[in-house]
Amino acid sequence: MKKISTILPMLLICAMSQLLAQDSSYHNYLYDSRTAYFKQLPVAKKPVIFFGDSITQWGDWSEFLGKANILNRGIAGDNTNGLLARVDEVVRHRPARLFILVGTNDINKQMPVAAIVQTYRRIIAAIQTQSPATRIYVQSVFPINNQLIGRQYYSGTNEQIKTLNAGIREMAADMHIHFVNVYDALLDGSGQLDVRYTYDGLHLSGEGYLKWVNVLQQQRLI
């Protein structure tokens, strides 16, 4: 009979293996075509990069910020596993600053928070290894509005988002990178994504993007 001291480490290893094996599907026509397109673009000189899913993709960052050297590396529907798979394309630019926003689609695919955060750690570690001079900013996942959101498309809740944000904040502190709380700035008085900042309860309106930019500017991050 095996001793408890021998069994426990084996159980922990199995549990971690299961976490890392839980990979939601990120490959689709948009992801593959947009990733291939990014790879054909010339290397930029120390740009600012916004890295994430549709909420990032649909932001006109150069226009919002009045700066030319900004790259948009958002892909609609992407998740932490998708970002991890395309880190190399982002770090080849050796960005001066990198703003990451991801996790909404992981929640929608019912990925456990521990698995999402673990993949997030791998993303950050890969960036720090390949582009150590890059200043990394991880942004909180944004709230939703329960009254506007189409539940046939999105199953996540603000409680799940807050739990994930707590995990991301803890990870950021542990890895010595900056956590940016945009979540609170987008809320209305009832704890929902303010209707001024969204058109479907999930994605941002123009006013929502301006609020996001304002948070970054107020903290002198951009």
Side-chain angles (χ1 to χ4, degrees), residues 64-122:
F64 278 126
L65 295 165
K67 299 178 181 180
N69 201 27
I70 298 179
L71 305 184
N72 187 328
R73 289 299 183 266
I75 299 180
D78 209 355
N79 56 40
T80 52
N81 293 295
L83 263 64
L84 178 62
R86 58 191 181 96
V87 162
D88 289 352
E89 192 285 317
V90 170
V91 298
R92 74 189 176 104
H93 301 281
R94 299 297 185 265
R97 300 184 183 197
L98 179 62
F99 292 87
I100 305 174
L101 175 62
V102 69
T104 295
N105 295 312
D106 297 78
I107 289 176
N108 194 39
K109 290 180 177 293
Q110 320 249 333
M111 295 291 287
V113 166
I116 300 171
V117 173
Q118 179 63 23
T119 307
Y120 220 133
R121 283 182 176 273
R122 295 170 68 193

Side-chain angles (χ1 to χ4, degrees), residues 170-188:
E170 182 179 351
M171 176 215 67
D174 186 52
M175 301 188 79
H176 307 291
I177 56 177
H178 195 106
F179 175 81
V180 187
N181 179 15
V182 186
Y183 182 98
D184 289 348
L186 297 173
L187 294 174
D188 63 17

Side-chain angles (χ1 to χ4, degrees), residues 7 12 15 48 70 79 84 102 107 118 120 124 135 137 142 149 157 169 180 193-195 204 207 209:
I7 295 173
L12 289 172
V48 172
I70 298 179
N79 56 40
L84 178 62
V102 69
I107 289 176
Q118 179 63 23
Y120 220 133
I124 302 304
R135 297 176 67 178
Y137 302 90
F142 295 171
I149 202 162
T157 68
R169 184 193 292 270
V180 187
L193 174 58
D194 196 307
V195 295
L204 297 183
E207 192 171 354
Y209 279 103

